[in-house]
Each structure stands twice: as structure tokens, then as C-alpha cells.
């Protein structure tokens, strides 16, 4: 090749692939922000706060209070009271910064949550006085910055507080003009490990008076800078907090702000979508922002409320609830190309393996691992029954506080396997050898349990006594709860166990491990019980379980949230590509959701739980996309907060996956390792996406305009064979490799080999 031709190839390749790093921050995310015209009403709270939010995936800042008494609540994913019962145990609140501005009593309130910059701003006005506030949590350090300016002179009085009570030990002091506070859980009956936190504050731009107050002059800028460490971060947690606060000055903060903005710019460059619907795009990018502020690789995994904890004893202890709440927040991250944000997911599960083996052996006489409903970090169990018969009777109407050895399994054996779904999503999305080696022991322990637990009867594997829903004593069913035990072949169990053994075959083959066990695993997959269906009003519909003593479980309930977990998310064993005949039954069940609606926003019955499950599942089975989006908008309008967090009664951060996953599944799917672009999208509506991640470790971009797909662009990370449904049915397709025309493909579905790092483009052959 001569130099001129070489330059032409390079230039054409750059033109083809130059937009691979197009930033959603620059295009779309920057358009959307959350606006607040009144002070938050749900701060503090045991559940989801409604105030402006900022975070770095470890530290969360929640703004509460009124203009004259602003409260900046500081949560942290690794600050736990490691006690096995809630309330009392679970994630805890380190403390808060209170800023009193008495001149603003009764002032007007205005704030913004600016998501592309991960910044909270506020303007509080009363007559001629206007006070402006900016707050952000550094994306790259344990630092929080709160900045104030004013149009007229006024007095600010900041106070850093550590939460007290709940057996905590508190200290406070001043070191070289650095104010600091600490909170620690150090000892006590059943405390599994100590946990301590320090917060240190430095004032820049002014000097505090003896009483701690600051005189803010017109147009003067002051900054309250807080550093925050736990003993999970550093054994010298207190010293480090104070030392880093001392070292912060204006040049250091400027560098920190530069790194902060660069981190978020990179975050927004990972992927983007453009669907011509400002309402849905607003919630799409808001959900991505909130997840980016909630979860970070290398840090503790977020619990139910993420780091946005505003009081002790959050609902359900803010723990890792393993029967979907813990897993669901991550589901959109894989296809959105936020793989590094999911890097904290596995550690709590791995840390609990020794206890899980003990549970399996002691309680069931089985091999492998058996997990309760809720755990925490570092091998912590959070879901023990109340420790005394009296407390048990008060809360659950029975004095039996040693059910299942004193642990809440709630009739469910499947909790450990639930998390395998996330592990497989990441594995199939990356084909990362190191990651596969990390998760394989956990998956193998799950396989050990289910090989032991399954029964082979009449030519099929069946599952006894694993329950579709939680079965437990409570104030309503009193002593009859045991009469509800006995589910046989729950759709949840059958689907997730099938998923497990399909995954075992794939991951063990990839790692070249345990070849001698694959015959058994293949036999289980092939002979696993079918999902149970029955006729309703002249059509077939899904049953929740094959048999159950519970009237609710034994009925024909159709496809619902819990069944979806086994079949579609995270199960991934059903869909149009897997079994088109069975998929028609599921599609009919989704269509029947309209008949069960009791009001606006109640399609799929997701006000309590399941918005992140039911809407993407409806997309996957092929229900009309325009109807789905209409119902999703209704659901959001009925139950969401000013900070754009879509809420559910039974959980918190899980809802952050709802809109991104629904949209991603409309624009691209890759389950069963077949890539489909715009598989469930109204072709009359223009849309485009960049760098959505597909199974096989492909980054995919495409554009639909005036009813035509203009191109499909891909980057191959792992060099695997690509299988794709033809984006142009009936047409021949030109494959372009690294800017050069290569083979021509045709057929309803085609495949082609790829190389690591290869850039690929597919376009329709003119005239074909």
C-alpha cells in the first residue's frame, strides 16, 4: 500500500469510528436536570429521600432542611452496624453538616441536581438577600465540598455532626483549625466486626469566630470542605481524615474539581441513546446518574438505599436482599457499558460462602451453599429472627425465634443462585478470564447444592419446597404460615436452576475446568421440568408453580414479577429466540396485564415492586413498544420524586435499572448470544444508540432514520464469533473490517469471526 492509500484508509476509519466515544454529557445528559422549588419533605427518611443527591459510589450526599437550616446528610456504603438483626443492625448514618443562616428564615427555595456535572446548586432568597450554594462529592477522593456566596452580608454557622445512639461511641474535637467528629461501633453482643468513621472539616475563604459562625460578605466565596474515611478505607481512618482536610487549599480543590469533571465526562462517554422522547430520556439519564453516584468498583457494594442514608435503621437494614433487590440495580449497567460500576457486586457473596456452606450442611444436610434472604458485607448476616421469644411474638405473632436455625430463609432455597444471573450477565458481556476465575468457585458451590437438592423423577428434574414467594409468620397469618409451605416446581426455581447449569457449562468450558461434570450438567438442562401452563379463557397462561398448598401460588397467575426473575431477568432462559411457541404464551400474559389494571400507573402491578423487572420483560417477549412506553410514563408520573428517583414501596435503588434497561432492550438485545438491533422499536420513530454492550463482548452502535437502519457499527473486545439477526431482512449485507470492505453476508441470521480490538461496520448492499 502506498502512503496516499494508507492515509485514505486511516481517515475513512476515523470517520467511521470517530463517534464511538461520543459523550452523552455533551449531547443529551447535559439537557436534563432535577429542579426543586420547595424544601425536601422526605429527609430524613427510612427509605428513599426526595432531596437533591450527589455521590461518588461510596459517599452519598443528600440535601435536606430549609434555607435557614440546611442539612447535608453524609452516607457511606461501608459504614455498617454489623449486627445480625434489624431494626438496629445494617447500614448506619455517619453524620451530617448543618449550616444555619438565620437571615433566610422563611426564604424562597430553589435547587437543582445537575446530573452531567454531578453537582447540586441552590439559590435561597428573601427580600434583597440571595444566598447561592454549590455542593459536590469528589468522584476521585473522599471529599465533599459545599460552597456559599451571597448578595448581601449575612452570618453562616456550620456544624459538623456525627449521629449518636444505637450503641455508637462518639468523639469530637479540633486539630489545627480542623473540626472533626467520629462515630464507632466497636463492641457488643453479636457485633460481627467493628466499624468506625471520621469526618473532618476545613473552612476556606473565611475565618470562623469563637462560636463557629462565619461572616459572609457580599460576593465573598467560602467553602466548607469535608474529608471522610472509615476503618474499612484505612486503619488510620481518623488521622487520614484530619490530615487530608489540612492539606486542602484552593489549588488542590481546583485539581480535584478538574478530576471530578473528567471522571463524569468519561462516565457519560461509555454509551448513549437518542430516542426523540425528552421525558423518557430525562429519566434514562437521571437513572444512569443516580446509579453512577451509588456504585463504584473497588468500594463496598450499595445496599437497598445506596449511600443515600439519612438515618439509622433504614428499612430492611439497608442490606443486600438476595431475592432480587440486591441484584436488580445492576441489570442495566451491563448493556449500558458500565462494567466497572458492577465490580463491587461479587465480594459480599464470596465473603459469605463459608457461612453458606455451614447453613447447607447444618440445616439441610446438603453440599454447596445455602443463603438466607439478607446479608451484608464481610460475611455479615442481617436477617436473623428476633433474638428473644418475646420480641419474636411482638413482631411476628409467634414465639418461635429459632426457625431455620434462627435465620430468615423464608422458605426459599434459591437465594444464592439469584446472584449467578448477574455474574453470567457480566461474563457473557465481557468474556473476561480473570472475572470468570473469580466467580467460578461461587457458581460451582451453587451447582454442588442443586445437584444434591434436585430430585430426578419420571424422567425429569423436580424441585420440592422452594417457594415462589416468601413464606413466613406475620401478624396476619399467625400460626398457620406453615400450612403455606410446599411449593413444587416454582417457575422462579425451575428457571434460575436451568440458568445456573447452562452457565456452568459455558463458564467451565471457557476456563477448561471440570469437564468430567459437564455430562451431568447437560443432563439437568435437558431434563429440567418444563414451566407449567394451564388454559384460561381459551388461551394458555403461565402458572406460578406446578403445585402448592397456597391458594395464591397454586392459581394461574400468568407471567408476573417473580416468574420473570426465573424466565427472563435474570434467568435469561426464555424469549422469542429461545422458544417462539412458549414466548407466545408469555406475550399473551403480558397483554392480559391491561385487564388487571385498577388505575393509572398500575400496569404490571409495579407500584409495590417490579418496575425494573416487568417493563424490560415486556420488551423482551415482544409486546408493543409504544404501549410499554405509555404505561411506563404513567407509572413514573404516579410514583417518583423531584430528584427523578422512581420509587417503589418495597425497595430503593433497584428502580434505577427500570428505564435504562427498558430502552436498551428496545434498541438492542443479545440474549442467547444473537445480536438484534431495534428488535422492539417502532420503526416509524427515529432513534440511535452508541456503544451498548452485547453478549460476546461487542460494543454496538446503530441509527434508525425514516424507517431505515443506516448502519450497525461494532467493536470486538474479545475476538469472539458474532451472530446477528440481519438488520435488513431479505437484503445482502456488506461487512467492513477496520475500514476495509470484507465479506458479504446474507440470510435471516448470519455469523462472522472477529479479532480482538477489531472495528466492524455493517451496511446494506445497494440494490440487494
Amino acid at each position: 500500500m502506498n502512503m496516499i492509500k494508507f492515509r485514505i484508509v486511516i481517515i475513512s476509519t476515523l470517520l467511521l469510528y470517530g463517534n464511538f466515544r461520543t459523550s452523552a454529557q455533551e449531547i443529551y445528559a447535559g439537557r436534563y436536570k432535577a429542579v426543586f422549588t420547595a424544601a425536601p419533605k422526605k429527609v430524613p427518611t427510612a427509605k428513599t429521600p426526595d432531596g437533591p443527591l450527589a455521590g461518588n459510589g461510596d459517599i452519598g450526599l443528600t440535601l435536606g432542611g430549609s434555607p435557614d437550616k440546611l442539612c447535608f446528610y453524609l452516607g457511606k456504603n461501608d459504614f455498617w452496624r454489623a449486627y445480625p438483626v434489624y431494626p438496629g443492625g445494617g447500614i448506619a448514618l455517619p453524620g451530617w453538616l448543618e449550616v444555619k443562616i438565620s437571615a433566610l428564615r422563611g426564604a424562597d427555595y430553589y435547587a437543582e441536581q445537575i446530573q452531567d456535572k454531578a453537582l447540586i446548586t441552590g439559590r435561597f432568597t428573601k427580600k434583597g438577600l440571595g444566598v447561592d450554594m454549590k455542593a459536590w462529592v469528589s468522584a476521585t477522593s473522599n471529599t465533599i465540598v459545599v460552597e456559599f456566596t451571597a448578595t448581601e452580608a449575612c452570618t453562616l454557622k456550620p456544624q459538623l455532626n456525627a449521629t449518636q445512639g444505637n450503641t455508637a461511641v462518639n468523639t469530637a474535637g479540633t486539630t489545627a483549625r480542623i473540626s472533626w467528629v467520629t462515630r464507632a461501633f466497636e463492641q457488643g453482643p453479636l457485633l460481627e466486626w467493628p466499624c468506625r468513621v471520621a469526618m473532618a472539616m476545613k473552612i476556606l475563604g473565611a475565618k470562623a469566630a469563637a462560636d463557629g459562625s462565619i461572616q459572609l460578605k457580599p460576593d465573598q466565596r467560602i467553602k466548607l470542605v469535608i474529608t471522610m474515611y472509615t476503618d474499612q478505607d484505612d486503619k488510620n481512618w481518623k488521622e487520614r481524615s484530619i490530615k487530608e482536610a489540612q492539606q486542602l487549599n484552593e489549588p488542590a480543590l481546583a485539581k480535584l474539581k478538574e478530576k471530578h469533571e473528567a471522571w463524569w465526562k468519561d462516565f457519560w462517554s461509555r454509551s448513549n441513546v437518542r430516542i426523540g422522547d425528552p421525558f423518557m430520556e430525562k429519566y434514562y439519564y437521571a437513572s444512569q446518574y443516580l446509579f453512577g453516584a451509588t456504585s463504584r468498583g473497588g468500594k463496598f457494594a450499595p445496599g437497598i438505599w445506596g449511600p443515600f442514608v439519612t438515618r439509622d435503621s433504614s428499612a430492611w437494614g439497608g442490606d443486600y436482599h438476595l431475592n432480587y433487590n440486591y441484584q436488580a440495580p445492576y441489570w442495566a449497567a451491563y448493556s449500558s457499558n458500565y462494567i466497572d460500576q458492577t465490580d463491587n457486586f461479587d465480594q459480599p457473596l464470596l465473603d459469605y460462602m463459608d457461612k453458606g456452606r455451614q447453613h447447607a450442611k447444618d440445616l439441610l444436610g446438603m453440599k454447596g451453599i445455602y443463603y438466607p434472604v439478607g446479608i451484608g458485607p464481610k460475611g455479615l448476616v442481617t436477617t436473623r429472627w428476633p433474638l428473644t421469644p418475646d420480641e419474636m411474638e411482638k413482631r411476628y405473632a409467634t414465639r418461635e425465634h429459632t426457625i431455620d436455625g434462627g435465620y430468615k430463609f423464608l422458605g426459599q432455597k434459591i437465594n444464592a443462585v439469584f446472584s449467578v444471573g448477574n455474574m453470567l450477565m457480566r461474563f457473557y458481556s465481557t468474556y473476561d478470564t480473570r472475572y470468570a476465575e473469580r466467580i467460578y468457585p461461587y457458581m460451582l458451590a451453587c451447582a454442588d447444592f442443586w445437584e444434591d437438592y434436585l430430585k430426578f423423577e419420571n424422567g425429569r428434574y423436580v424441585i420440592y419446597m422452594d417457594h415462589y414467594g416468601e413464606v413466613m409468620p406475620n401478624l396476619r397469618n399467625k400460626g398457620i404460615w406453615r400450612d403455606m409451605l410446599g411449593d413444587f416446581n416454582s417457575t422462579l426455581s425451575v428457571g434460575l436452576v436451568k440458568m445456573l447449569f447452562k452457565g456452568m457449562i459455558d463458564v467451565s468450558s471457557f476456563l477448561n475446568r471440570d469437564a468430567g461434570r459437564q455430562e451431568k450438567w447437560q443432563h439437568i438442562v435437558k431434563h429440567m421440568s418444563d414451566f407449567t401452563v394451564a388454559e384460561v379463557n381459551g388461551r394458555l397462561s403461565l402458572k406460578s408453580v406446578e403445585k402448592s398448598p397456597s391458594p395464591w401460588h397454586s392459581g394461574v397467575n400468568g407471567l408476573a414479577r417473580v416468574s420473570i426473575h426465573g424466565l427472563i431477568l435474570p434467568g435469561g432462559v426464555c424469549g422469542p429466540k429461545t422458544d417462539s411457541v412458549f414466548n407466545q404464551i408469555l406475550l399473551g400474559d403480558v397483554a392480559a396485564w391491561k385487564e388487571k389494571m385498577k388505575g393509572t400507573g398500575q400496569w404490571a402491578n409495579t407500584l409495590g415492586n417490579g418496575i425494573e423487572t416487568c417493563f424490560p420483560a415486556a420488551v423482551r417477549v415482544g409486546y408493543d413498544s409504544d404501549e410499554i412506553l405509555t404505561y411506563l410514563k404513567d407509572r413514573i408520573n404516579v410514583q417518583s420524586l423531584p430528584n427523578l428517583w422512581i420509587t417503589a414501596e418495597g425497595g430503593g435503588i433497584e428502580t434505577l435499572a427500570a428505564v435504562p434497561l427498558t430502552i436498551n432492550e428496545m434498541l438492542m438485545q443479545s440474549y442467547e448470544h444473537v445480536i438484534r438491533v431495534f428488535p422492539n422499536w417502532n420503526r416509524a420513530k427515529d432513534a440511535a444508540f452508541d456503544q451498548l454492550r452485547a453478549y460476546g463482548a461487542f460494543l454496538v452502535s446503530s441509527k434508525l432514520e425514516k424507517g431505515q437502519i443506516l448502519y450497525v457499527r461494532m467493536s470486538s473486545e474479545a475476538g469472539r464469533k458474532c451472530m446477528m439477526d440481519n438488520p435488513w431482512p431479505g437484503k445482502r449485507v456488506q461487512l467492513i473490517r477496520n475500514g476495509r470492505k470484507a465479506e458479504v453476508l446474507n440470510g435471516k441470521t448470519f455469523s462472522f469471526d472477529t479479532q480482538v480490538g477489531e472495528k466492524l461496520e455493517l451496511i446494506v448492499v445497494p440494490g440487494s
Side-chain angles (χ1 to χ4, degrees), residues 651-665:
I653 63 172
E654 69 218 41
T655 62
L656 303 183
V659 175
L661 189 58
T662 298
I663 300 301
N664 290 357
E665 285 280 317

Side-chain angles (χ1 to χ4, degrees), residues 286-570:
S287 296
Q288 302 285 44
Y289 164 72
L290 291 171
F291 183 72
T294 292
S295 180
R296 192 65 49 89
K299 300 294 185 179
F300 275 39
I304 292 175
W305 316 109
F308 303 111
V309 175
T310 55
R311 48 164 283 188
D312 278 358
S313 294
S314 297
W316 299 285
D319 71 357
Y320 306 151
H321 241 56
L322 299 182
N323 54 359
Y324 102 90
N325 307 81
Y326 179 58
Q327 297 87 352
Y330 296 89
W331 287 345
Y334 305 105
S335 58
S336 297
N337 196 25
Y338 293 129
I339 295 297
D340 54 330
Q341 303 298 111
T342 73
D343 204 42
N344 52 23
F345 175 79
D346 312 295
Q347 195 60 52
L349 303 160
L350 302 178
D351 289 344
Y352 201 81
M353 286 182 68
D354 287 343
K355 288 184 178 178
R357 287 191 179 94
Q358 201 66 43
H359 295 326
K361 179 182 177 183
D362 293 348
L363 300 176
L364 300 174
M366 297 284 167
K367 298 181 296 184
I369 54 176
Y370 174 38
Y371 281 24
V373 166
I375 66 171
K378 300 178 66 173
L380 173 68
V381 62
T382 58
T383 44
R384 289 276 299 272
W385 294 108
L387 302 177
T388 67
D390 289 345
E391 184 65 20
M392 185 75 183
E393 185 173 34
K394 177 181 176 182
R395 293 176 56 194
Y396 296 103
T398 178
R399 296 184 67 78
E400 294 182 77
H401 68 294
T402 58
I403 301 167
D404 292 329
Y407 297 87
K408 292 180 182 176
F409 290 90
L410 308 187
Q412 297 184 318
K413 309 294 189 302
I414 204 68
N415 289 316
V417 177
F418 228 119
S419 294
V420 172
N422 288 47
M423 295 173 178
L424 289 174
M425 287 183 191
R426 176 167 172 174
F427 169 71
Y428 291 138
S429 298
T430 62
Y431 280 88
D432 181 338
T433 301
R434 291 179 63 184
Y435 182 71
E437 290 173 340
R438 174 178 170 83
I439 62 171
Y440 189 72
Y442 182 90
M443 292 180 60
L444 191 62
C446 289
D448 289 340
F449 178 89
W450 283 96
E451 281 187 63
D452 212 3
Y453 192 81
L454 288 171
K455 304 296 183 186
F456 191 62
E457 298 177 353
N458 301 316
R460 63 173 184 157
Y461 288 94
V462 299
I463 301 174
Y464 289 90
M465 293 293 289
D466 190 21
H467 293 82
Y468 181 81
E470 298 175 349
V471 183
M472 59 185 287
N474 58 49
L475 297 177
R476 294 186 304 276
N477 63 36
K478 299 188 183 296
I480 65 170
W481 67 277
R482 279 196 171 86
D483 296 338
M484 300 168 63
L485 293 169
D487 282 3
F488 175 75
N489 277 350
S490 157
T491 52
L492 172 68
S493 313
V494 171
L496 290 181
V497 170
K498 188 172 184 178
M499 172 203 74
L500 167 67
F501 285 105
K502 288 181 69 176
M504 287 305 307
I505 295 166
D506 291 339
V507 179
S508 66
S509 297
F510 179 74
L511 294 175
N512 195 25
R513 305 261 184 92
D514 296 305
R517 297 183 64 174
Q518 287 199 8
E519 183 178 357
K520 174 69 172 180
W521 298 338
Q522 289 167 348
H523 192 266
I524 292 172
V525 172
K526 184 177 180 181
H527 296 281
M528 197 70 209
S529 291
D530 292 332
F531 300 111
T532 307
V533 298
E535 188 171 313
V536 179
N537 298 325
R539 70 170 182 86
L540 290 178
S541 179
L542 185 72
K543 288 191 68 175
S544 303
V545 299
E546 189 170 329
K547 289 186 298 185
S548 174
S550 167
W552 179 61
H553 290 175
S554 61
V556 184
N557 296 317
L559 184 67
R561 173 177 62 89
V562 178
S563 295
I564 289 168
H565 292 152
L567 277 63
I568 300 169
L569 284 168

